Structure formats: structure tokens, C-alpha cells
Amino acid sequence: MVREKIRVSTRTLQWKCVESRTDSKRLYYGRFILSPLMKGQADTIGIAMRRTLLGEIEGTCITRAKSEKIPHEYSTIVGIQESVHEILMNLKEIVLRSNLYGTCVASICVRGPRYVTAQDIILPPSVEIIDNTQHIASLTEPIDLCIGLQLERNRGYRIKTPKNFQDGSYPIDAVFIPVRNVNHSIHSYGNGNEKKEILFLEIWTNGSLTPKEALFEASRNLIDLFIPFLHAEEENLHIEDNQHKVTLPIFTFHNRLTELSKNKKKVALKYIFIDQLELPPKIYNCFKKSNIHTLLDLLNNSQEDLTKIEHFRI
């Protein structure tokens, strides 16, 4: 555990990590301060950062499992101590770290008798397991256990529904949030018009990110949400009278991005994903199939390149 004395600066706005510790492989803690702030600013920043830390940071988890030996989710298999439902719940708790985009596959293929842990998961190179000792199942007899897994990187959470059962595979409740909890508190000092505030921010993570990494990513995401107000002019959106739907003028938006690039505006385009644009599903799917995932990818394609994409129409 690391602790540092708090020194308040009255000159420039500064932040500092005053405490950092690792309680376990799946529980990291960090405490940060930001000061000096004017009255009311600490609460404004603290609320915004808490919401962003808990809702805007992406994580990776197992979202689906498939095995030919599983008749249904609540069945039991001879030679395995846990029920299928318990195995799925254990898979839900596996903590992963990755830089993948979208989904990928992994697998488990072992022979008993033995304990099956997270270490037995065969992963793609872009994914790593935070805690290899996490328990999955106990094989009590010499049987084979083969499970196909689907991994996904996303944000927030997704609850499985009966419609998600397909091809003998079973969806798993997905909790993509790498931040377990966030608290913020405020310390005031000074008198009258000179009154200042210190913001204390406490962050707990599941180990896939350190609290400092989570703070950096949340700050970038929060800034990205305000970039359109800083750099983009108001666009004329076309409203269809019959369907009452709003469509985004892709080429106009593309021209604006090109203009920003020529003017050397410092816009973090590679951190803004096309998911944030609320594109029509057809256009969104065309972009994804053409490996266009961010605004930077979109900017690197000319209008001629976009019109050559199969099934793409504006």
C-alpha cells in the first residue's frame, strides 16, 4: 500500500494519487485528489466522473458458452460436481483484460478427474486472464469437458433473455464494467470569497484496469463526449415526416472531419467509435464489415472509397 501526504496548491489546478493498494488480483483501490477548486466545482466534477467511471468504460467478459453435452441450462452432467447453471455462473465471474474490438472465441477442453480453473481457458493473443485460479468446475470422473466460449468487449451490462438461446449455446449475463465502485467526497477550506474545495475520488476496480488507468480512460471518454460542441458546427438533420426518423448526413460529417484534420485540430478521433454516432443499422454494418470502427478509420476513407463498399447507400 502506498500513502502520500496531501499538499494543497493554491496556484494551479493539480491532481495526485494519494493512496494505492492491491487487495487481491481482482480488487484494486486508488484514492485521488484534485485541487484547488472553486466552490461547487468539486461536486460537478465528482458526479460526472463517477457516472463516467461506472457507465462509459469498456470491459471484456464471457457472454456465451456452448457444449454438445449440455441438454439445457439447468441440467447436471455425470462426472461433474457442479450443475450447468453453476458452471455458467462461474464463467460469468472470470475477469479478462483485452484490447479486442467486438467479439472473439475461446475454448476449454480438459479431461478429468481434476479441477477446472480459468487457467484452462484457451484464449486468443489479444486477451489475458487476470486471476488464473478462478474456479470453473470439478471433474470427479475421467470424462472430457469441452466448452466453446464467446468473448466480447463492450460497456455497461447485458442481461440474457430466452431469445438469446441458439444453436445449443447458452448466453451468460454480461457485466462489462471493470470499475466496482466509486466514491467522491469534498473538503472545503478558506473563508468568504477565498473559499476553496478539494475533491477526493476513490476508485475500486476488478483488476482488469488499475484505478489510475480507469481514471485516465474515464477522463478521455468524458472529454470525447464534449468534442462535438467544441469543434463541430451545427449540422442540418433531415427529418422524415412519415417515419419521424433522424438520419445523419455521412458525407457532410466526413467533409467536416477532413476540414478539422487539415486545420490540425487536436481531436482524439481514434477514441471516438462509430457506435456513438447512432447510425442506421445498414450503414453501421457496412462500416463494421469494412473494418471502419472509429472516426479516424472513417476519415482515412475518401467518399469514393465509401461508395465502393458493398450494399452501402446514403
PDB file of all heavy atoms in Angstrom, residues 69-77 80-91 170:
ATOM      1  N   LYS A  69     -22.629 -31.555 -24.913  1.00  0.00           N
ATOM      2  CA  LYS A  69     -23.094 -32.426 -23.841  1.00  0.00           C
ATOM      3  C   LYS A  69     -24.102 -31.739 -22.916  1.00  0.00           C
ATOM      4  O   LYS A  69     -24.549 -32.334 -21.944  1.00  0.00           O
ATOM      5  CB  LYS A  69     -21.902 -32.910 -23.015  1.00  0.00           C
ATOM      6  CG  LYS A  69     -20.954 -33.817 -23.793  1.00  0.00           C
ATOM      7  CD  LYS A  69     -19.854 -34.339 -22.900  1.00  0.00           C
ATOM      8  CE  LYS A  69     -18.928 -35.296 -23.656  1.00  0.00           C
ATOM      9  NZ  LYS A  69     -17.861 -35.822 -22.773  1.00  0.00           N
ATOM     10  N   ILE A  70     -24.453 -30.496 -23.215  1.00  0.00           N
ATOM     11  CA  ILE A  70     -25.372 -29.762 -22.338  1.00  0.00           C
ATOM     12  C   ILE A  70     -26.778 -29.800 -22.928  1.00  0.00           C
ATOM     13  O   ILE A  70     -27.054 -29.142 -23.928  1.00  0.00           O
ATOM     14  CB  ILE A  70     -24.917 -28.298 -22.160  1.00  0.00           C
ATOM     15  CG1 ILE A  70     -23.513 -28.260 -21.534  1.00  0.00           C
ATOM     16  CG2 ILE A  70     -25.915 -27.541 -21.294  1.00  0.00           C
ATOM     17  CD1 ILE A  70     -22.972 -26.862 -21.358  1.00  0.00           C
ATOM     18  N   PRO A  71     -27.686 -30.565 -22.345  1.00  0.00           N
ATOM     19  CA  PRO A  71     -29.062 -30.625 -22.872  1.00  0.00           C
ATOM     20  C   PRO A  71     -29.837 -29.332 -22.618  1.00  0.00           C
ATOM     21  O   PRO A  71     -30.586 -28.865 -23.449  1.00  0.00           O
ATOM     22  CB  PRO A  71     -29.680 -31.804 -22.133  1.00  0.00           C
ATOM     23  CG  PRO A  71     -28.866 -31.957 -20.900  1.00  0.00           C
ATOM     24  CD  PRO A  71     -27.485 -31.505 -21.226  1.00  0.00           C
ATOM     25  N   HIS A  72     -29.670 -28.765 -21.405  1.00  0.00           N
ATOM     26  CA  HIS A  72     -30.288 -27.465 -21.104  1.00  0.00           C
ATOM     27  C   HIS A  72     -29.542 -26.845 -19.922  1.00  0.00           C
ATOM     28  O   HIS A  72     -28.730 -27.481 -19.255  1.00  0.00           O
ATOM     29  CB  HIS A  72     -31.783 -27.611 -20.796  1.00  0.00           C
ATOM     30  CG  HIS A  72     -32.091 -28.515 -19.652  1.00  0.00           C
ATOM     31  ND1 HIS A  72     -32.021 -28.123 -18.339  1.00  0.00           N
ATOM     32  CD2 HIS A  72     -32.466 -29.826 -19.644  1.00  0.00           C
ATOM     33  CE1 HIS A  72     -32.348 -29.139 -17.560  1.00  0.00           C
ATOM     34  NE2 HIS A  72     -32.618 -30.181 -18.329  1.00  0.00           N
ATOM     35  N   GLU A  73     -29.832 -25.576 -19.655  1.00  0.00           N
ATOM     36  CA  GLU A  73     -29.047 -24.813 -18.689  1.00  0.00           C
ATOM     37  C   GLU A  73     -29.102 -25.382 -17.275  1.00  0.00           C
ATOM     38  O   GLU A  73     -28.138 -25.289 -16.516  1.00  0.00           O
ATOM     39  CB  GLU A  73     -29.533 -23.356 -18.687  1.00  0.00           C
ATOM     40  CG  GLU A  73     -28.765 -22.457 -17.728  1.00  0.00           C
ATOM     41  CD  GLU A  73     -29.287 -21.036 -17.709  1.00  0.00           C
ATOM     42  OE1 GLU A  73     -30.248 -20.755 -18.451  1.00  0.00           O
ATOM     43  OE2 GLU A  73     -28.742 -20.216 -16.944  1.00  0.00           O
ATOM     44  N   TYR A  74     -30.216 -25.958 -16.902  1.00  0.00           N
ATOM     45  CA  TYR A  74     -30.380 -26.406 -15.517  1.00  0.00           C
ATOM     46  C   TYR A  74     -30.186 -27.919 -15.360  1.00  0.00           C
ATOM     47  O   TYR A  74     -30.649 -28.516 -14.385  1.00  0.00           O
ATOM     48  CB  TYR A  74     -31.770 -25.991 -15.011  1.00  0.00           C
ATOM     49  CG  TYR A  74     -31.926 -24.488 -14.972  1.00  0.00           C
ATOM     50  CD1 TYR A  74     -32.577 -23.823 -16.005  1.00  0.00           C
ATOM     51  CD2 TYR A  74     -31.387 -23.739 -13.934  1.00  0.00           C
ATOM     52  CE1 TYR A  74     -32.698 -22.439 -15.996  1.00  0.00           C
ATOM     53  CE2 TYR A  74     -31.504 -22.357 -13.918  1.00  0.00           C
ATOM     54  CZ  TYR A  74     -32.157 -21.712 -14.941  1.00  0.00           C
ATOM     55  OH  TYR A  74     -32.275 -20.341 -14.934  1.00  0.00           O
ATOM     56  N   SER A  75     -29.479 -28.504 -16.293  1.00  0.00           N
ATOM     57  CA  SER A  75     -29.211 -29.943 -16.221  1.00  0.00           C
ATOM     58  C   SER A  75     -27.938 -30.200 -15.411  1.00  0.00           C
ATOM     59  O   SER A  75     -27.198 -29.285 -15.061  1.00  0.00           O
ATOM     60  CB  SER A  75     -29.058 -30.517 -17.628  1.00  0.00           C
ATOM     61  OG  SER A  75     -27.953 -29.911 -18.285  1.00  0.00           O
ATOM     62  N   THR A  76     -27.712 -31.475 -15.116  1.00  0.00           N
ATOM     63  CA  THR A  76     -26.473 -31.914 -14.476  1.00  0.00           C
ATOM     64  C   THR A  76     -25.811 -32.938 -15.380  1.00  0.00           C
ATOM     65  O   THR A  76     -26.485 -33.633 -16.144  1.00  0.00           O
ATOM     66  CB  THR A  76     -26.744 -32.530 -13.093  1.00  0.00           C
ATOM     67  OG1 THR A  76     -27.649 -33.633 -13.249  1.00  0.00           O
ATOM     68  CG2 THR A  76     -27.339 -31.503 -12.149  1.00  0.00           C
ATOM     69  N   ILE A  77     -24.493 -33.032 -15.295  1.00  0.00           N
ATOM     70  CA  ILE A  77     -23.732 -33.959 -16.129  1.00  0.00           C
ATOM     71  C   ILE A  77     -23.000 -34.937 -15.222  1.00  0.00           C
ATOM     72  O   ILE A  77     -22.337 -34.530 -14.254  1.00  0.00           O
ATOM     73  CB  ILE A  77     -22.719 -33.201 -17.017  1.00  0.00           C
ATOM     74  CG1 ILE A  77     -23.474 -32.218 -17.923  1.00  0.00           C
ATOM     75  CG2 ILE A  77     -21.890 -34.160 -17.844  1.00  0.00           C
ATOM     76  CD1 ILE A  77     -22.561 -31.342 -18.765  1.00  0.00           C
ATOM     77  N   ILE A  80     -19.458 -34.476 -13.206  1.00  0.00           N
ATOM     78  CA  ILE A  80     -19.150 -33.077 -12.907  1.00  0.00           C
ATOM     79  C   ILE A  80     -19.919 -32.670 -11.652  1.00  0.00           C
ATOM     80  O   ILE A  80     -21.130 -32.850 -11.562  1.00  0.00           O
ATOM     81  CB  ILE A  80     -19.547 -32.140 -14.076  1.00  0.00           C
ATOM     82  CG1 ILE A  80     -18.803 -32.539 -15.345  1.00  0.00           C
ATOM     83  CG2 ILE A  80     -19.235 -30.680 -13.721  1.00  0.00           C
ATOM     84  CD1 ILE A  80     -19.122 -31.682 -16.547  1.00  0.00           C
ATOM     85  N   GLN A  81     -19.205 -32.167 -10.683  1.00  0.00           N
ATOM     86  CA  GLN A  81     -19.808 -31.853  -9.396  1.00  0.00           C
ATOM     87  C   GLN A  81     -20.822 -30.719  -9.491  1.00  0.00           C
ATOM     88  O   GLN A  81     -21.880 -30.763  -8.850  1.00  0.00           O
ATOM     89  CB  GLN A  81     -18.701 -31.473  -8.406  1.00  0.00           C
ATOM     90  CG  GLN A  81     -19.191 -31.177  -6.999  1.00  0.00           C
ATOM     91  CD  GLN A  81     -18.027 -30.963  -6.039  1.00  0.00           C
ATOM     92  OE1 GLN A  81     -17.036 -31.672  -6.088  1.00  0.00           O
ATOM     93  NE2 GLN A  81     -18.152 -29.957  -5.181  1.00  0.00           N
ATOM     94  N   GLU A  82     -20.531 -29.711 -10.290  1.00  0.00           N
ATOM     95  CA  GLU A  82     -21.419 -28.553 -10.415  1.00  0.00           C
ATOM     96  C   GLU A  82     -22.490 -28.802 -11.475  1.00  0.00           C
ATOM     97  O   GLU A  82     -22.280 -29.569 -12.414  1.00  0.00           O
ATOM     98  CB  GLU A  82     -20.639 -27.291 -10.790  1.00  0.00           C
ATOM     99  CG  GLU A  82     -19.698 -26.772  -9.722  1.00  0.00           C
ATOM    100  CD  GLU A  82     -18.367 -27.512  -9.725  1.00  0.00           C
ATOM    101  OE1 GLU A  82     -18.184 -28.391 -10.590  1.00  0.00           O
ATOM    102  OE2 GLU A  82     -17.526 -27.222  -8.865  1.00  0.00           O
ATOM    103  N   SER A  83     -23.614 -28.123 -11.307  1.00  0.00           N
ATOM    104  CA  SER A  83     -24.642 -28.143 -12.353  1.00  0.00           C
ATOM    105  C   SER A  83     -24.204 -27.226 -13.489  1.00  0.00           C
ATOM    106  O   SER A  83     -23.273 -26.431 -13.346  1.00  0.00           O
ATOM    107  CB  SER A  83     -25.986 -27.673 -11.791  1.00  0.00           C
ATOM    108  OG  SER A  83     -25.912 -26.291 -11.437  1.00  0.00           O
ATOM    109  N   VAL A  84     -24.884 -27.335 -14.632  1.00  0.00           N
ATOM    110  CA  VAL A  84     -24.548 -26.482 -15.767  1.00  0.00           C
ATOM    111  C   VAL A  84     -24.747 -25.011 -15.403  1.00  0.00           C
ATOM    112  O   VAL A  84     -23.933 -24.150 -15.760  1.00  0.00           O
ATOM    113  CB  VAL A  84     -25.415 -26.849 -16.993  1.00  0.00           C
ATOM    114  CG1 VAL A  84     -25.199 -25.850 -18.123  1.00  0.00           C
ATOM    115  CG2 VAL A  84     -25.088 -28.261 -17.460  1.00  0.00           C
ATOM    116  N   HIS A  85     -25.804 -24.723 -14.673  1.00  0.00           N
ATOM    117  CA  HIS A  85     -26.068 -23.339 -14.264  1.00  0.00           C
ATOM    118  C   HIS A  85     -24.923 -22.794 -13.410  1.00  0.00           C
ATOM    119  O   HIS A  85     -24.503 -21.631 -13.582  1.00  0.00           O
ATOM    120  CB  HIS A  85     -27.381 -23.268 -13.484  1.00  0.00           C
ATOM    121  CG  HIS A  85     -27.720 -21.893 -12.998  1.00  0.00           C
ATOM    122  ND1 HIS A  85     -28.141 -20.882 -13.836  1.00  0.00           N
ATOM    123  CD2 HIS A  85     -27.667 -21.343 -11.746  1.00  0.00           C
ATOM    124  CE1 HIS A  85     -28.348 -19.784 -13.147  1.00  0.00           C
ATOM    125  NE2 HIS A  85     -28.074 -20.040 -11.874  1.00  0.00           N
ATOM    126  N   GLU A  86     -24.407 -23.603 -12.498  1.00  0.00           N
ATOM    127  CA  GLU A  86     -23.295 -23.163 -11.639  1.00  0.00           C
ATOM    128  C   GLU A  86     -22.033 -22.917 -12.462  1.00  0.00           C
ATOM    129  O   GLU A  86     -21.283 -21.977 -12.192  1.00  0.00           O
ATOM    130  CB  GLU A  86     -23.029 -24.214 -10.559  1.00  0.00           C
ATOM    131  CG  GLU A  86     -24.112 -24.279  -9.496  1.00  0.00           C
ATOM    132  CD  GLU A  86     -23.898 -25.440  -8.533  1.00  0.00           C
ATOM    133  OE1 GLU A  86     -23.374 -26.495  -8.959  1.00  0.00           O
ATOM    134  OE2 GLU A  86     -24.261 -25.278  -7.354  1.00  0.00           O
ATOM    135  N   ILE A  87     -21.798 -23.754 -13.475  1.00  0.00           N
ATOM    136  CA  ILE A  87     -20.634 -23.552 -14.345  1.00  0.00           C
ATOM    137  C   ILE A  87     -20.762 -22.232 -15.104  1.00  0.00           C
ATOM    138  O   ILE A  87     -19.796 -21.461 -15.221  1.00  0.00           O
ATOM    139  CB  ILE A  87     -20.482 -24.723 -15.327  1.00  0.00           C
ATOM    140  CG1 ILE A  87     -20.151 -26.011 -14.566  1.00  0.00           C
ATOM    141  CG2 ILE A  87     -19.400 -24.430 -16.358  1.00  0.00           C
ATOM    142  CD1 ILE A  87     -20.099 -27.241 -15.442  1.00  0.00           C
ATOM    143  N   LEU A  88     -21.959 -21.948 -15.601  1.00  0.00           N
ATOM    144  CA  LEU A  88     -22.179 -20.685 -16.319  1.00  0.00           C
ATOM    145  C   LEU A  88     -21.970 -19.494 -15.387  1.00  0.00           C
ATOM    146  O   LEU A  88     -21.406 -18.470 -15.797  1.00  0.00           O
ATOM    147  CB  LEU A  88     -23.583 -20.655 -16.908  1.00  0.00           C
ATOM    148  CG  LEU A  88     -23.882 -21.674 -18.010  1.00  0.00           C
ATOM    149  CD1 LEU A  88     -25.341 -21.561 -18.453  1.00  0.00           C
ATOM    150  CD2 LEU A  88     -22.953 -21.486 -19.209  1.00  0.00           C
ATOM    151  N   MET A  89     -22.404 -19.598 -14.147  1.00  0.00           N
ATOM    152  CA  MET A  89     -22.206 -18.512 -13.186  1.00  0.00           C
ATOM    153  C   MET A  89     -20.718 -18.327 -12.868  1.00  0.00           C
ATOM    154  O   MET A  89     -20.247 -17.200 -12.691  1.00  0.00           O
ATOM    155  CB  MET A  89     -22.977 -18.797 -11.892  1.00  0.00           C
ATOM    156  CG  MET A  89     -24.492 -18.718 -12.026  1.00  0.00           C
ATOM    157  SD  MET A  89     -25.083 -17.106 -12.623  1.00  0.00           S
ATOM    158  CE  MET A  89     -25.284 -17.431 -14.392  1.00  0.00           C
ATOM    159  N   ASN A  90     -19.962 -19.432 -12.821  1.00  0.00           N
ATOM    160  CA  ASN A  90     -18.520 -19.327 -12.598  1.00  0.00           C
ATOM    161  C   ASN A  90     -17.819 -18.668 -13.782  1.00  0.00           C
ATOM    162  O   ASN A  90     -16.883 -17.874 -13.605  1.00  0.00           O
ATOM    163  CB  ASN A  90     -17.920 -20.711 -12.347  1.00  0.00           C
ATOM    164  CG  ASN A  90     -18.348 -21.297 -11.006  1.00  0.00           C
ATOM    165  OD1 ASN A  90     -18.733 -20.564 -10.100  1.00  0.00           O
ATOM    166  ND2 ASN A  90     -18.304 -22.609 -10.895  1.00  0.00           N
ATOM    167  N   LEU A  91     -18.279 -18.983 -14.993  1.00  0.00           N
ATOM    168  CA  LEU A  91     -17.711 -18.348 -16.183  1.00  0.00           C
ATOM    169  C   LEU A  91     -18.002 -16.850 -16.198  1.00  0.00           C
ATOM    170  O   LEU A  91     -17.192 -16.048 -16.677  1.00  0.00           O
ATOM    171  CB  LEU A  91     -18.261 -19.003 -17.448  1.00  0.00           C
ATOM    172  CG  LEU A  91     -17.802 -20.441 -17.722  1.00  0.00           C
ATOM    173  CD1 LEU A  91     -18.592 -21.030 -18.890  1.00  0.00           C
ATOM    174  CD2 LEU A  91     -16.305 -20.478 -18.029  1.00  0.00           C
ATOM    175  N   TYR A 170     -25.537 -21.145 -24.802  1.00  0.00           N
ATOM    176  CA  TYR A 170     -26.257 -20.512 -23.710  1.00  0.00           C
ATOM    177  C   TYR A 170     -25.644 -19.155 -23.387  1.00  0.00           C
ATOM    178  O   TYR A 170     -24.448 -19.055 -23.118  1.00  0.00           O
ATOM    179  CB  TYR A 170     -26.225 -21.414 -22.475  1.00  0.00           C
ATOM    180  CG  TYR A 170     -26.882 -22.751 -22.728  1.00  0.00           C
ATOM    181  CD1 TYR A 170     -26.138 -23.816 -23.232  1.00  0.00           C
ATOM    182  CD2 TYR A 170     -28.237 -22.940 -22.501  1.00  0.00           C
ATOM    183  CE1 TYR A 170     -26.739 -25.036 -23.499  1.00  0.00           C
ATOM    184  CE2 TYR A 170     -28.851 -24.151 -22.762  1.00  0.00           C
ATOM    185  CZ  TYR A 170     -28.095 -25.201 -23.264  1.00  0.00           C
ATOM    186  OH  TYR A 170     -28.692 -26.396 -23.530  1.00  0.00           O
TER     187      TYR A 170
END
